[in-house]
Each structure stands twice: as structure tokens, then as C-alpha cells.
Amino acid sequence: MRAYRSILFLIILHLFTLGKSQKISEEQLKNELQQIQDKIGSTSVVNTTIKQLENIYRTAKENKYNVAFPIGTELMRTYSTLNNSEKVIEVATDLESHINEDSSPQQVSNMYKMKAGSLGALGFLEDSHKAYQSSKKYLGKIQDNDVRHYYSSLFYSNYSGYFDQSKKQPDSVRLYLIKGLEEAEKISEKKSSIAPGKKYDLIVSIQANLTLYYLWIIQPAQPRTAETYLLKSLKIAEHRKISSLNEMNLYRTAGDFYFEQKNNDKAIHYAQKGLELERKISSPSGREIFYEILTEAYLAKNNTLEGKKYNQLLTKLRDSIRTVEKHSVNKVTTAIKKEKDKEKNSTLRNYLYIFFILIILGCGGIWYYWKSRNKILQQRFQELITKIKHESENRQDGMEKHEEKAIKAPKTIAEETVNQLLSKISKFEKTEKYLKSDITIAGMASSFGTNTKYLSEVIKSYKNKNFNQYINSLRVEYITRKLYEDSVWRKYKITSLAELCGYANHRVFQTAFKKETGLTPSDFIISLKKETEPETV
């Protein structure tokens, strides 16, 4: 019996020693992280490294290694590249408990920046702003000038997105993009701790965002300025080595820009180039945009064969993306609302406890989110319905209002001329000529027998809008009235509704509709159906 016990003791001791000898060291994890980063840097492919990063992050945390923080930030960056916002927030929330005096300020700043961007993408703007402020606080602690310029550039360019998402202070979008560009250009290329490739990746990315700003955000759009920034980025991509992911996003911007400018050949060219890179990187969101550009550009060229081909690919991809989003909705809210456990207990009882807490928080978070969202949408919907009814009443006594307004004639135009133009504008509105897709201020002025300056001034004085805003408001008023009055219109696709009220591009229609009403066309139709159409059992 004694011999048996001795043998058993030796076996247990051997297994314990073997287990210790096989424990992975912190240095090994650092090397593995470096290998992963080198692989991503050379290929820009991140989807194949996810599992590997998740495993070494788990190992680093279990062993309480300091390398857990840089591994976690790399994992966040990878999730961010794949547009997995809920995972970015989940890892960031976990990493916050590991911040200490030895934590790299640039890594902490970058962690909060990525968390802020993901919170904003999910609509949690207040939390996003707080995270951005935390990110900014750590920037000042970075000692190396080039490193500080690099991470400051990342911060400012990402912070500009907050103002775009919140729809507040739109000029701040441009301001922070410019600040980000200036910080990137300050990075030295001689004996710098920041590789030149990273510097030019930043410059290309920010200039591409400035292209989109001058094309989509500023009103009126400035396509010439937008193209200036775009051509600068394309030139850098042609002469310098930038990441495949960044190059793909640049081609996406170029495709969007040239399609918007009705240069379908260039739009197709850049969309095809971007699609070639996407096949290597695997970015479903990027592929979706390229398919959309190719579909619309080929159809605009009357190439229905290619147009239908890419439209089918787009429909199939969107179905796949929506399925993934549907299955991840619980994870999104849980990742934001749940409280972290500082230490994980290995017992089954604690695991069950955490599991049930997460379910309760997740359900509560989902309920609160949808309740708040529906309340806001319902309020906007009721305001819009009231406006439609009010405008319907106003159409009956339009002449009286016309006479009242005639008193306020601009000093630079004769009162008689103003009254004539107002009469023609009234007729223009009643005959619904604003529904023509090719309407321009020059064409409208010509048909009125006046010049664009007089017409623009009268519209600004009496409609309190510029020409584009005026036409958009008429079109949106028309389509909302049709949808409200006739249930048949609610069955049309968004693309058809866009065409019926004069828009050649359904995305421009959706943007104009949202700006005028605070609702998307889909939200408005859904609310209309709930209020006016009886539910069928």
C-alpha cells in the first residue's frame, strides 16, 4: 500500500510539473501578438486572425499578464475592421478594469477612441462623447512627439464622426478632419517611431472623408473641392504603399463620388478595383457598397445584363447581413448594459448567476432602447401628420397668404415683379412641376421669364430656403401627402417612391426625406400602416 501511495504521489507531481512547464510565458504571447500584427500589416486580412487573438487574449487575462492590454486593443481593432461594434464595446468594457499606471497612454487613448466610435455607430451618442473625452485625456500623456501626432490624428478624424452621427454642428466635422490631417502631416519620416506607411494611411483616410464631407454633408455640396481631396488620395495610393483595407475604402469613396457626378465609367472602374481588394480582405459592408454602385452605374448605362447580375448579388448579400444582425441584437445591448465581473469564478453556480443577470440586463436594455426609439419616432410622426393636415388647409386659402406676403417685397426687386414671380411660383407648385427629375433653377427662371438671381432671392425671402431646399421640401411634402392619403402608395418600394417624386437616386431621396421630417421613408410608412390600417387577425 505504501509503495502504491508513493507511485501515485510521483505521478501527480509529474503531471503538476508538466503542467507548469507547458504554461505559456508572457514573452511568448508578445511574440505571437507581433506575428499576428505583421501578418495583418502585410495582407490586411483580419478575419483569419480573430480566433487566434481571442485565444491569446484569454490566456493573457487568465495569467494576469500586462500584455493582455495590447492584445485586447488589437482584438478591438480587428473587430472594428469587421464592423462588429458590439464586440468592440464588449472587449473595451473588459479592458477598462486592466488600466493601471503602467498602461501605455496611446493604447488607452486608442481603446477609448474605438469604443466611442462603436457606441456612436449603435446610436449611443452620449456614451460615445464620454468615451471620446476619456480618449483625449490620455493623448496629453504620450511623450514621443510622432506617436502623439499619430494618435491625435486618429482621435480627431474619428471624433469628427461623432458630429456627423449626432447631426450637431456639421461644420465641426470638417474642423476635426482638418485637425486630424494636420496632425498626420506633422509626423516625421526620418528616424520616426511611426512607419511612413501608417502616416500615409492616415492622410489617405482623412482626405477620403473630406471628399465625402464636401459631397454629402455640407450644403450646398462642393464637388470640385471634394474631387481635389479625392485625387490627392488616389495619387498617394498610386505612388506609396498603403494598407489594402484603406485602399479598398478609398476606391469605395471614388466609386460613390463619380457615380454621384454621373461619371458611370469611372464609378464602375473604381468599384471593380475595390471589389478585387475586398475579395482578399472579406468586408461584407464594403462588398455591399460596391455591388450597389455597380448595379446603379450599369443600369444608368443601360447595361441591364450587368446591372441585374450585381443587383442579384446585392440582394443575396443583404439577406445574409440582415440575418447576422438579427441574431446579434441581444449581444449588442448586453455588451453596452451589462456590468463586468472583475474576476471570473470557475464554479457552475457563479456562471449560472452571471448568465441570468446578463439575460435580464439584455432584455431590459432591448426594451428600453426600443421604447425610447419608438417614442421619438411616434412624436416625429405625429408632428408630420399635423403638418400634412395643416398644409392641406393652407392650400384652400393660399391666395390670402400670397397677398399678405406681397407686402414684404425685397428692396432690390420691384414689387410688381415680385408679385408676378410669386404667382408663377404658386402655379408651379399647383401643377407639381417640381416632380421633374431634371428641374434646375436656371430652367425654372427661364420658364418664368426672369433671371436666376431674382428667382433665388424671391424663394429665399418667401420660402426661407435656398433653391435645393425648396425643391426638396415640395417633393417630400408631395410624397408624404400621397402616402397619407392613399394606402396603395405605401406598398411601393423606396426606389419607386424616389422616382415618383423626382429623385434619380433613392439614397438622395432618403437623405432629403430624413432631413425634412426626422423620419426615414420606411419609418413613416410603418407608422402610417399602424395608425390607419386595421390589424388583421
Side-chain angles (χ1 to χ4, degrees):
M1 176 66 80
R2 188 176 297 173
Y4 170 76
R5 287 178 179 174
S6 299
I7 293 170
L8 183 61
F9 174 75
L10 288 171
I11 291 173
I12 293 172
L13 182 63
H14 173 72
L15 289 173
F16 177 74
T17 306
L18 181 64
K20 286 192 70 177
S21 66
Q22 289 181 337
K23 179 181 175 181
I24 191 166
S25 70
E26 185 166 18
E27 195 60 37
Q28 287 174 297
L29 290 178
K30 288 181 180 178
N31 292 335
E32 195 165 346
L33 173 61
Q34 187 60 54
Q35 290 171 6
I36 293 171
Q37 290 173 327
D38 290 342
K39 180 180 178 182
I40 293 173
S42 61
T43 65
S44 292
V45 178
V46 296
N47 56 318
T48 58
T49 63
I50 282 287
K51 289 296 180 186
Q52 193 178 357
L53 279 168
E54 288 174 339
N55 289 336
I56 65 172
Y57 178 55
R58 192 182 305 112
T59 302
K61 286 199 301 175
E62 288 171 354
N63 290 285
K64 299 182 179 179
Y65 290 151
N66 288 333
V67 75
F69 202 91
I71 294 174
T73 54
E74 183 63 32
L75 182 59
M76 284 178 65
R77 192 185 68 81
T78 305
Y79 281 135
S80 180
T81 301
L82 296 172
N83 298 308
N84 195 337
S85 297
E86 64 272 13
K87 278 293 186 181
V88 173
I89 296 165
E90 183 181 311
V91 177
T93 304
D94 187 45
L95 278 178
E96 285 181 86
S97 61
H98 294 279
I99 299 173
N100 55 47
E101 292 180 357
D102 297 325
S103 299
S104 163
Q106 57 261 36
Q107 288 178 351
V108 178
S109 175
N110 200 36
M111 181 271 289
Y112 276 118
K113 174 190 68 66
M114 289 188 285
K115 180 182 180 181
S118 292
L119 285 166
L122 295 174
F124 296 90
L125 297 176
E126 185 177 345
D127 292 328
S128 173
H129 188 260
K130 288 179 182 177
Y132 273 123
Q133 295 312 306
S134 297
S135 175
K136 187 177 182 180
K137 182 178 71 174
Y138 280 92
L139 287 175
K141 299 180 181 181
I142 302 173
Q143 299 297 318
D144 186 297
N145 286 337
D146 284 336
V147 173
R148 187 172 61 256
H149 290 319
Y150 177 77
Y151 283 96
S152 295
S153 178
L154 278 175
F155 170 80
Y156 287 127
S157 59
N158 279 263
Y159 192 36
S160 68
Y162 164 77
F163 294 97
D164 183 30
Q165 291 163 343
S166 63
K167 306 303 178 189
K168 297 176 181 178
Q169 303 170 344
D171 193 55
S172 294
V173 177
R174 181 189 62 83
L175 173 66
Y176 284 105
L177 284 173
I178 294 296
K179 289 183 75 170
L181 187 59
E182 289 171 349
E183 288 291 330
E185 289 172 339
K186 289 177 185 176
I187 299 171
S188 172
E189 294 185 47
K190 297 178 180 179
K191 297 181 180 179
S192 173
S193 48
I194 301 298
K198 285 190 173 183
K199 170 181 178 175
Y200 286 100
D201 262 340
L202 265 178
I203 291 174
V204 165
S205 177
I206 295 171
Q207 288 182 158
N209 284 330
L210 281 165
T211 300
L212 297 176
Y213 169 81
Y214 282 105
L215 185 64
W216 297 109
I217 298 176
I218 193 172
Q219 295 295 329
Q222 297 180 20
R224 288 188 178 180
T225 306
E227 188 172 24
T228 299
Y229 282 109
L230 177 61
L231 292 175
K232 286 180 180 179
S233 290
L234 289 170
K235 188 174 182 180
I236 292 173
E238 184 181 349
H239 293 96
R240 290 187 176 272
K241 178 66 177 175
I242 62 173
S243 72
S244 299
L245 178 65
N246 208 10
E247 189 177 0
M248 181 196 76
N249 288 330
L250 174 60
Y251 293 144
R252 181 170 66 180
T253 301
D256 254 336
F257 174 81
Y258 284 112
F259 177 74
E260 184 65 21
Q261 301 307 304
K262 295 183 170 42
N263 191 332
N264 295 307
D265 290 331
K266 279 193 174 182
I268 291 169
H269 169 72
Y270 286 113
Q272 291 286 15
K273 288 188 68 145
L275 206 53
E276 288 175 14
L277 285 169
E278 189 281 328
R279 291 189 183 101
K280 300 175 185 177
I281 298 168
S282 185
S283 170
S285 61
R287 197 183 324 149
E288 182 181 11
I289 296 297
F290 290 131
Y291 283 163
E292 189 175 49
I293 293 170
L294 288 166
T295 298
E296 294 179 352
Y298 274 120
L299 289 177
K301 285 169 60 68
N302 295 319
N303 189 337
T304 54
L305 184 63
E306 289 295 307
K308 286 181 179 179
K309 167 188 158 185
Y310 284 105
N311 188 48
Q312 289 172 352
L313 290 170
L314 177 61
T315 302
K316 186 177 179 181
L317 175 63
R318 280 179 173 166
D319 289 342
S320 176
I321 291 173
R322 301 301 172 260
T323 300
V324 172
E325 289 176 348
K326 182 179 179 181
H327 288 299
S328 66
V329 66
N330 286 329
K331 295 180 182 178
V332 173
T333 311
T334 299
I336 298 168
K337 300 294 181 182
K338 75 176 183 182
E339 291 185 358
K340 310 175 300 292
D341 287 332
K342 291 184 179 179
E343 291 184 11
K344 287 188 177 180
N345 202 310
S346 60
T347 65
L348 176 62
R349 183 177 178 181
N350 281 340
Y351 274 123
L352 288 173
Y353 177 74
I354 294 169
F355 175 72
F356 285 118
I357 288 294
L358 292 178
I359 288 178
I360 293 169
L361 288 173
C363 293
I366 293 172
W367 175 82
Y368 179 78
Y369 171 77
W370 284 109
K371 184 179 179 182
S372 300
R373 181 179 181 274
N374 289 336
K375 185 178 179 180
I376 293 170
L377 291 179
Q378 185 60 24
Q379 182 181 348
R380 290 174 179 171
F381 172 74
Q382 291 300 335
E383 289 172 355
L384 183 54
I385 292 299
T386 302
K387 182 181 176 184
I388 292 171
K389 292 178 180 178
H390 181 67
E391 286 168 347
S392 179
E393 293 171 1
N394 285 348
R395 282 196 296 274
Q396 298 174 8
D397 59 345
M399 287 303 295
E400 294 176 13
K401 293 196 172 188
H402 168 78
E403 290 170 3
E404 290 174 4
K405 285 189 174 183
I407 299 170
K408 304 186 297 181
K411 295 179 180 179
T412 56
I413 310 175
E415 184 177 337
E416 183 182 355
T417 302
V418 171
N419 287 331
Q420 288 175 354
L421 284 176
L422 285 173
S423 177
K424 291 176 181 179
I425 287 172
S426 178
K427 185 178 179 181
F428 169 79
E429 292 177 1
K430 288 176 183 177
T431 55
E432 298 177 350
K433 291 184 179 179
Y434 51 82
L435 298 178
K436 294 181 179 181
S437 60
D438 59 349
I439 186 75
T440 63
I441 191 169
M444 187 171 168
S446 177
S447 67
F448 284 6
T450 186
N451 57 55
T452 56
K453 182 180 178 181
Y454 278 12
L455 180 58
S456 177
E457 191 168 345
V458 168
I459 290 173
K460 187 175 181 180
S461 297
Y462 291 88
K463 304 298 180 180
N464 199 27
K465 297 170 183 173
N466 64 32
F467 178 74
N468 287 335
Q469 292 169 341
Y470 169 61
I471 295 298
N472 282 335
S473 66
L474 290 175
R475 288 173 172 177
V476 172
E477 178 190 339
Y478 170 83
I479 205 68
T480 52
R481 188 173 72 251
K482 288 293 185 182
L483 289 167
Y484 175 72
E485 295 173 350
D486 192 343
S487 61
V488 174
W489 283 63
R490 300 166 204 162
K491 298 176 183 178
Y492 294 165
K493 293 182 178 179
I494 300 300
T495 50
S496 300
L497 292 175
E499 291 175 5
L500 287 168
C501 60
Y503 291 99
N505 185 317
H506 73 275
R507 282 186 290 175
V508 177
F509 164 64
Q510 289 176 310
T511 301
F513 194 100
K514 180 74 179 288
K515 190 170 182 180
E516 284 291 321
T517 66
L519 299 165
T520 65
S522 299
D523 286 336
F524 180 62
I525 292 169
I526 290 169
S527 296
L528 266 179
K529 287 180 178 179
K530 286 180 180 178
E531 181 160 305
T532 61
E533 298 176 12
E535 293 186 7
T536 56
V537 181

